[in-house]
Amino acid sequence: MKLKRLNEKTNAFITLKEEVEEAELYFSIKDNICTKDMRTTAGSKMLYNYHPPFDATVVERIRGKGEILGKTSMDSWGFGTFGTNCDFGTPRNPWDLGRSPGGSSSGAAIVASALKERNVALAESTGGSISCPASFCNVFGLTPTYGLVSRWGLISYADSLDKIGLMARDLKDIALVMNYIVGGDERDPTSYQGRVPDYTRCFGEIRGLKVGVPKEYFEHVEEEVKEKVMDGISLLDSLGAEIREVSLKLTKYALASYYIIALSEASTNLARFCGLKYGLSAEMKGEFNEYFSKVRGSGFNQESKRRIILGTFARMAGYRGRYYLKALKVRRLIINEFKEIFSRCDLIAAPTMPILPPKFEEIEELEPIQVYAMDQLTVGPNLAGIPMLSVPIGFSRGLPVGLHLMADHFREDLLFRVGRAIQEHTNYWRKVPEL
Amino acid sequence: MRIGLEVHVQLKTKSKLFCNCPTDPAEPNRNICPICLGFPGIRPFPNEEAILLAFKIAKALNCRILERCFFSRKSYFYPDMPKNYQITQYEAPIGVDGWVDIGKKIRIRRVHLEEDPARLVHPGGIGGSDHVLIDYNRAGVPLVEIVTEPDFEDVEEVKRFFKKLLSILLHLRAFDPLKCSIRCDVNISLGDTRVEVKNVTGLKHIERAIRYEILRQEKLLKEGKEVKRETRHFDEKTGLTTSLREKEFEDDYGYIFDPDLPIIEGIEVEIPELPDRMVERFVEEYGLKEEKAKAIAYEGPDFASFFEEVVKDFGKPEVVASWMLTHLLKCLNFNHMRLEDTSLTPKEFVEFLRAMEEERISERYAKEMIKEWVPSGKKVEEFLKEMVSEEELRRAVEEVLREHRKAVEDYKKGKKKALEFLIGQVLRRIGGRADVKKVRRLLEESIDLK
């Protein structure tokens, strides 16, 4: 295994485990998931040397099931769509090193895609951080229903949105590892305590499944992406699924609602990094506010500061009603809209990302708001807390495209069924980039 | 004058509000874990015991219980806050719109549950030290905040309120007066300007802070000076309040819902008999004077039920009440103990009262005995064993009569005082270990026989 070489080329890891034993299955872990034997940085310089005293529940549950390779790179705190906000070197797309691998679970997707050995990545999504890089790197990416997987040990971005999920080249491996990590956890009161199916057995006929295709999800999508996604939908049609056009009219409000809620929560979560107990430390001088400001001023990168300021603004007196509380109401409406669709459809199918993986130079040209807009297709289902699966559905100009499947809460079984059907009838997922 | 209170009561629970750390007093930074220290990656999990107590308090304060309530994050940067936000309740507290009767109704605006921040220790007093110590034992201890309307018109009303509140908390078993603290933010306005005195600890200091603040504002107003809208600090050593900061705006805490914690459905809780009702019943059932009934009820449920148990067996509620309220209570307070912390049982107390009634011990001895008895947990029987026997007592009487013939003669001639002298002599001889009435009777009998 040429892990070191892979890492040199792609910056997939923030921390690589020194010695890795041979195993049948390997794991990589996104660096905002706590591991007691490896530093956990959340992609931020603020925590460059943070060694958690505990394992996240998901880590506890995979220990002994395979070998852990290391901690994968990410936009700091999960703040990013392209992986360009990582404080430990910018991760690169293994299909074209000049392009973004997607974010924020960048390293997870790179390893899942480029490492020849059988491996599963533990990743995390708040607004699209699993689907986006899975799509850009040609792997399956499952974001489970909110609460299905315990968040104990996950360094928070936005607690009402954060979900730990999985990525792998082979969907069967995701099913296997899902079986390990699901199940209620008393350390996370938002975790789901109910019964769950054996995901490795969720496959079979898709004939008769009703698949909704929301027209709003094709509006600002590049033609090449649209084409491949339509090919995928045609495949479902040919396998007997009933395809029907549906409408998600609130889609245009999802982005604003998402960013307001996510950043409001994030700005409280990151408050603890002030140099007193957590984060960098500096010389204690002046009063505590001066000291805190100094630490926060030097420990957070620009995008983190932008998001903290935006989130703080949205919840301040005078703005709270107009932004934060309104965003919560919009979120409720968006959930209702998805629920309404799922009363008529089993699944929703759409493009995962509106574009092909962009070049780093192109990203530099974008305004922050244009970058945020790239999440337009993923923030809706993330706000609704429904499960979603990005499926490799072909290449355009040598770059991967993802088909996004969404299902009602706790209907991961349907995502596996349709994902496995696509897997049987295509070969894109088998491709491994040459590095 | 208008005074309003924000009272913070530390709840008597086994563990903290969102983790399993004990709430018992301990060496600094011993009762801590990643959760109450706010480590990155932790999740809080709510303590049902604390939530239940908060519901009981809201109900006992006649609040309307909301159908659903939830926790919020109150953000501000301060070194006593591990996460730099406090988990508290904002939009939907446990209860709203209640009242407490202290002869007049004091309206309760809201009752909510929150976590205590860490304790800051300023080794040389605020402003007097170049460093601050942080004790995280307190971080995460459950607090109930009780916010009143500004319905108090003088400090006496505040005192009555706290007495009532404390007794209610005791009856709900929500508060341990020896381990838990009560802290208070006091809002006082004599004129139009509201001044807040922050974070005064303990009932004694709350009263002092209010008295001082009233004097200060009165003086300013008399001199025609302006009372500034500000937040002040009460110094326990000097008894003065000093300005912390001027307050032009309401603090902005940027509250959001805490998404880590599930919504709490309003629960219908059972609460025990509260002090007001108990006082009525004691007056009715036992014929106690209201003052005594109050004194017993306000001591808490264990004290009150102890009283009832003793009366059930011994009768004579007035006698029982007197002994419990004067000598027993004095001794408990002296030892910083609560009745429930001793091994004293009602049965034994009955035995004790009976021994006195049967003149096996003197009242004077009983008063001394109770001082040793309560903290030591010694059995009443053991004390009784130490009393002189009938035989020993008769011998002492005979001896005294023999040695003090003059006094005996005086008594016979009608000098009543001489008998008191003889009683004193007998008691001295036996070290007070007998009942006075009994000694008197024996002396009289013996002299008459001669």
Side-chain angles (χ1 to χ4, degrees):
Chain A
M1 192 170 10
K2 307 198 170 54
L3 263 185
K4 281 217 176 85
R5 218 175 72 98
L6 169 70
N7 199 32
E8 277 160 20
K9 291 204 159 182
T10 62
N11 280 325
F13 289 95
I14 290 173
T15 307
L16 250 180
K17 209 163 151 201
E18 305 232 323
E19 276 172 47
V20 176
E21 309 237 334
E22 289 260 333
E24 273 185 36
L25 181 63
Y26 295 94
F27 291 107
S28 73
I29 302 173
K30 187 175 179 179
D31 209 21
N32 56 355
I33 299 172
C34 290
T35 44
K36 63 181 174 197
D37 54 352
M38 270 179 287
R39 70 170 175 160
T40 301
T41 69
S44 173
K45 180 169 94 178
M46 196 63 119
L47 289 180
Y48 77 96
N49 203 17
Y50 176 56
H51 291 265
F54 51 83
D55 271 341
T57 299
V58 287
V59 175
E60 262 175 22
R61 289 181 179 176
I62 59 149
R63 283 206 190 270
K65 313 282 189 192
E67 266 297 290
I68 295 171
L69 301 170
K71 306 297 292 288
T72 52
S73 58
M74 58 182 287
D75 291 287
S76 57
W77 315 108
F79 295 165
T81 305
F82 297 126
T84 45
N85 301 319
C86 180
D87 288 349
F88 301 90
T90 300
R92 297 168 176 279
N93 194 315
W95 297 93
D96 178 346
L97 295 174
R99 292 178 186 265
S100 160
S104 67
S105 308
S106 317
I110 297 169
V111 179
S113 157
L115 188 71
K116 290 198 172 57
E117 286 79 359
R118 187 177 159 222
N119 76 91
V120 173
L122 297 190
E124 176 274 338
S125 169
T126 307
S129 288
I130 290 176
S131 294
C132 163
S135 158
F136 281 3
C137 293
N138 196 50
V139 293
F140 286 96
L142 174 71
T143 306
T145 305
Y146 177 80
L148 184 60
V149 177
S150 166
R151 290 182 296 120
W152 171 265
L154 172 68
I155 298 180
S156 305
Y157 169 174
D159 307 277
S160 75
L161 292 153
D162 295 346
K163 299 158 291 276
I164 291 177
L166 302 171
M167 289 189 216
R169 208 160 40 231
D170 188 342
L171 186 57
K172 293 191 282 296
D173 290 335
I174 292 184
L176 177 73
V177 177
M178 267 303 275
N179 280 352
Y180 300 151
I181 66 172
V182 291
D185 179 9
E186 60 168 22
R187 289 169 298 187
D188 175 5
T190 63
S191 69
Y192 177 67
Q193 308 283 338
R195 286 172 61 91
V196 291
D198 175 354
Y199 296 106
T200 59
R201 291 170 179 276
C202 298
F203 57 87
E205 274 284 301
I206 66 163
R207 187 165 298 281
L209 282 183
K210 300 182 196 77
V211 178
V213 179
K215 55 176 190 257
E216 293 82 359
Y217 277 51
F218 289 81
E219 272 167 17
H220 306 283
V221 177
E222 280 181 4
E223 278 308 317
E224 294 155 291
V225 173
K226 238 189 249 179
E227 246 170 61
K228 294 291 160 197
V229 170
M230 287 320 292
D231 288 351
I233 292 173
S234 302
L235 172 63
L236 297 181
D237 185 41
S238 70
L239 295 174
E242 290 174 27
I243 312 295
R244 51 183 65 175
E245 192 182 271
V246 294
S247 174
L248 286 162
K249 292 195 179 60
L250 297 174
T251 300
K252 59 182 171 206
Y253 302 111
L255 208 57
S257 169
Y258 167 78
Y259 271 96
I260 289 169
I261 293 170
L263 302 192
S264 293
E265 291 180 19
S267 63
T268 66
N269 283 322
L270 298 195
R272 76 195 69 194
F273 303 106
C274 65
L276 191 67
K277 284 201 72 62
Y278 311 106
L280 307 175
S281 42
E283 195 196 343
M284 291 251 189
K285 248 184 14 201
E287 60 135 358
F288 67 84
N289 270 328
E290 293 168 48
Y291 172 73
F292 290 175
S293 303
K294 193 159 75 187
V295 169
R296 291 168 68 76
S298 63
F300 287 128
N301 62 25
Q302 199 191 4
E303 182 60 22
S304 304
K305 286 177 194 163
R306 179 181 292 122
R307 295 197 183 202
I308 291 170
I309 291 169
L310 283 171
T312 306
F313 177 81
R315 60 186 168 84
M316 284 291 125
Y319 303 101
R320 189 171 179 269
R322 267 188 275 169
Y323 296 107
Y324 175 65
L325 293 178
K326 187 166 256 177
L328 291 180
K329 285 179 194 149
V330 171
R331 181 182 197 175
R332 171 44 62 190
L333 295 176
I334 287 172
I335 294 172
N336 293 346
E337 193 176 59
F338 274 108
K339 282 290 188 190
E340 196 277 322
I341 299 280
F342 289 124
S343 71
R344 295 183 281 124
C345 296
D346 298 300
L347 288 153
I348 293 172
T352 305
M353 292 301 288
I355 54 168
L356 292 169
K359 289 186 179 147
F360 290 112
E361 306 91 79
E362 291 165 353
I363 297 169
E364 273 172 34
E365 297 297 311
L366 296 174
E367 292 292 321
I369 190 78
Q370 291 172 303
V371 176
Y372 296 173
M374 294 299 169
D375 300 338
Q376 54 186 286
L377 305 180
T378 54
V379 289
N382 272 281
L383 273 174
I386 57 173
M388 62 205 95
L389 178 70
S390 184
V391 179
I393 205 67
F395 288 80
S396 192
R397 286 189 276 135
L399 298 168
V401 176
L403 168 72
H404 214 202
L405 299 174
M406 295 157 249
D408 201 359
H409 295 125
F410 303 109
R411 291 313 303 269
E412 282 77 2
D413 60 315
L414 290 173
L415 298 179
F416 278 112
R417 211 158 108 198
V418 176
R420 295 275 296 264
I422 296 174
Q423 203 175 0
E424 267 174 46
H425 291 89
T426 59
N427 278 316
Y428 312 118
W429 62 276
R430 292 184 200 276
K431 290 199 174 180
V432 180
E434 294 298 328
L435 278 173
Chain B
M1 171 167 37
R2 280 144 55 92
I3 304 173
L5 305 174
E6 290 168 29
V7 187
H8 297 91
V9 181
Q10 276 185 347
L11 291 184
K12 176 186 169 183
T13 52
K14 277 185 221 73
S15 50
K16 292 185 180 181
L17 187 49
F18 298 114
C19 64
N20 278 329
C21 287
T23 54
D24 285 336
E27 291 279 298
N29 296 311
R30 287 292 180 276
N31 295 342
I32 52 171
C33 75
I35 297 176
C36 53
L37 292 181
F39 270 60
I42 63 94
R43 306 265 91 82
F45 58 87
N47 175 347
E48 276 177 41
E49 189 190 7
I51 292 174
L52 219 58
L53 283 181
F55 273 107
K56 286 183 181 177
I57 291 170
K59 187 173 179 187
L61 301 182
N62 306 297
C63 286
R64 182 162 59 82
I65 305 293
L66 296 180
E67 243 170 76
R68 301 163 88 217
C69 69
F70 49 81
F71 288 103
S72 293
R73 293 178 179 176
K74 175 181 181 177
S75 298
Y76 59 97
F77 284 83
Y78 207 73
D80 66 0
M81 297 240 293
K83 306 183 286 292
N84 281 322
Y85 65 79
Q86 180 190 25
I87 304 179
T88 178
Q89 294 187 290
Y90 183 57
E91 272 106 337
I94 302 257
V96 295
D97 301 334
W99 48 266
V100 172
D101 186 359
I102 60 157
K104 72 185 231 188
K105 268 189 186 175
I106 300 296
R107 291 170 297 159
I108 303 291
R109 191 180 295 170
R110 56 189 272 137
V111 170
H112 74 243
L113 190 57
E114 63 186 25
E115 57 174 350
D116 211 346
R119 194 169 64 95
L120 294 185
V121 182
H122 303 258
I126 285 186
S129 53
D130 65 346
H131 66 285
V132 175
L133 301 171
I134 308 179
D135 179 4
Y136 289 97
N137 283 353
R138 207 181 73 182
V141 166
L143 291 182
V144 155
E145 180 169 331
I146 300 161
V147 183
T148 77
E149 297 292 343
D151 287 348
F152 300 95
E153 286 167 297
D154 58 45
V155 75
E156 290 307 317
E157 288 182 355
V158 174
K159 278 171 74 180
R160 286 216 300 281
F161 172 80
F162 271 114
K163 230 176 143 185
K164 176 59 82 57
L165 177 64
L166 201 63
S167 71
I168 291 172
L169 294 173
L170 288 174
H171 279 267
L172 297 175
R173 300 186 185 282
F175 182 74
D176 182 337
L178 300 181
K179 287 181 193 158
C180 309
S181 79
I182 288 191
R183 301 197 300 275
C184 193
D185 299 341
V186 190
N187 290 297
I188 306 177
S189 46
L190 268 69
D192 302 325
T193 319
R194 202 183 75 184
V195 175
E196 184 178 32
V197 185
K198 265 240 176 271
N199 216 4
V200 194
T201 307
L203 303 189
K204 191 178 80 188
H205 294 307
I206 293 169
E207 187 188 331
R208 287 173 73 206
I210 296 175
R211 286 191 197 283
Y212 174 78
E213 191 50 32
I214 292 172
L215 282 178
R216 189 187 70 87
Q217 290 188 30
E218 267 174 358
K219 187 159 171 279
L220 284 173
L221 291 171
K222 214 179 280 170
E223 291 166 358
K225 287 182 187 154
E226 178 203 7
V227 176
K228 277 193 210 134
R229 184 169 174 201
E230 60 184 352
T231 300
R232 298 179 71 84
H233 162 74
F234 175 72
D235 187 325
E236 292 179 4
K237 284 202 190 95
T238 60
L240 310 178
T241 66
T242 49
S243 181
L244 272 182
R245 59 178 185 271
E246 288 196 19
K247 213 172 171 180
E248 288 172 43
F249 308 101
E250 283 303 313
D251 293 316
D252 192 341
Y253 296 116
Y255 287 95
I256 64 165
F257 309 104
D258 194 318
D260 274 335
L261 291 158
I263 285 173
I264 308 165
E265 306 282 334
I267 7 177
E268 191 49 50
V269 284
E270 294 284 324
I271 53 172
E273 184 181 42
L274 293 176
D276 278 352
R277 175 72 199 102
M278 187 176 263
V279 169
E280 280 173 31
R281 189 165 63 79
F282 280 10
V283 170
E284 222 169 88
E285 245 172 69
Y286 304 120
L288 285 186
K289 294 225 170 61
E290 195 181 318
E291 276 315 302
K292 266 190 183 151
K294 234 182 199 173
I296 292 173
Y298 280 22
E299 270 306 308
D302 293 307
F303 198 83
S305 70
F306 191 96
F307 165 78
E308 292 200 85
E309 288 286 309
V310 172
V311 171
K312 203 191 282 172
D313 195 350
F314 185 72
K316 303 191 180 73
E318 275 291 334
V319 176
V320 177
S322 293
W323 272 91
M324 283 186 68
L325 286 171
T326 49
H327 305 294
L328 178 58
L329 199 54
K330 206 190 288 173
C331 171
L332 287 170
N333 290 343
F334 179 79
N335 289 294
H336 299 287
M337 286 172 96
R338 305 274 309 161
L339 184 57
E340 51 272 32
D341 305 327
T342 69
S343 56
L344 224 57
T345 64
K347 199 167 151 247
E348 264 193 298
F349 204 74
V350 169
E351 210 177 311
F352 166 76
L353 291 173
R354 216 158 254 159
M356 216 167 12
E357 197 179 47
E358 290 165 2
E359 298 181 349
R360 278 180 293 153
I361 51 172
S362 70
E363 227 179 275
R364 203 176 68 179
Y365 181 76
K367 285 174 197 166
E368 289 304 312
M369 169 184 155
I370 212 167
K371 283 183 204 164
E372 188 189 333
W373 175 32
V374 171
S376 71
K378 228 162 109 176
K379 294 270 165 246
V380 173
E381 216 172 289
E382 291 172 58
F383 284 98
L384 292 179
K385 266 191 215 145
E386 288 169 19
M387 301 303 289
V388 291
S389 63
E390 183 86 15
E391 198 183 335
E392 219 178 315
L393 185 60
R394 282 183 188 282
R395 202 159 53 229
V397 166
E398 288 309 315
E399 280 169 22
V400 166
L401 290 180
R402 227 176 13 244
E403 280 169 29
H404 299 279
R405 289 184 196 282
K406 172 129 192 333
V408 176
E409 289 309 312
D410 286 351
Y411 174 69
K412 279 183 175 169
K413 280 177 196 156
K415 259 176 102 177
K416 296 281 173 216
K417 256 190 169 173
L419 187 65
E420 302 303 319
F421 168 77
L422 291 171
I423 293 170
Q425 289 303 311
V426 173
L427 287 176
R428 223 170 84 183
R429 198 163 292 246
I430 56 165
R433 291 172 299 138
D435 183 65
V436 190
K437 280 178 274 171
K438 195 168 180 181
V439 174
R440 177 188 296 271
R441 208 176 56 235
L442 278 177
L443 276 168
E444 281 170 349
E445 283 170 11
S446 304
I447 293 170
D448 286 349
L449 285 176
K450 288 200 165 135

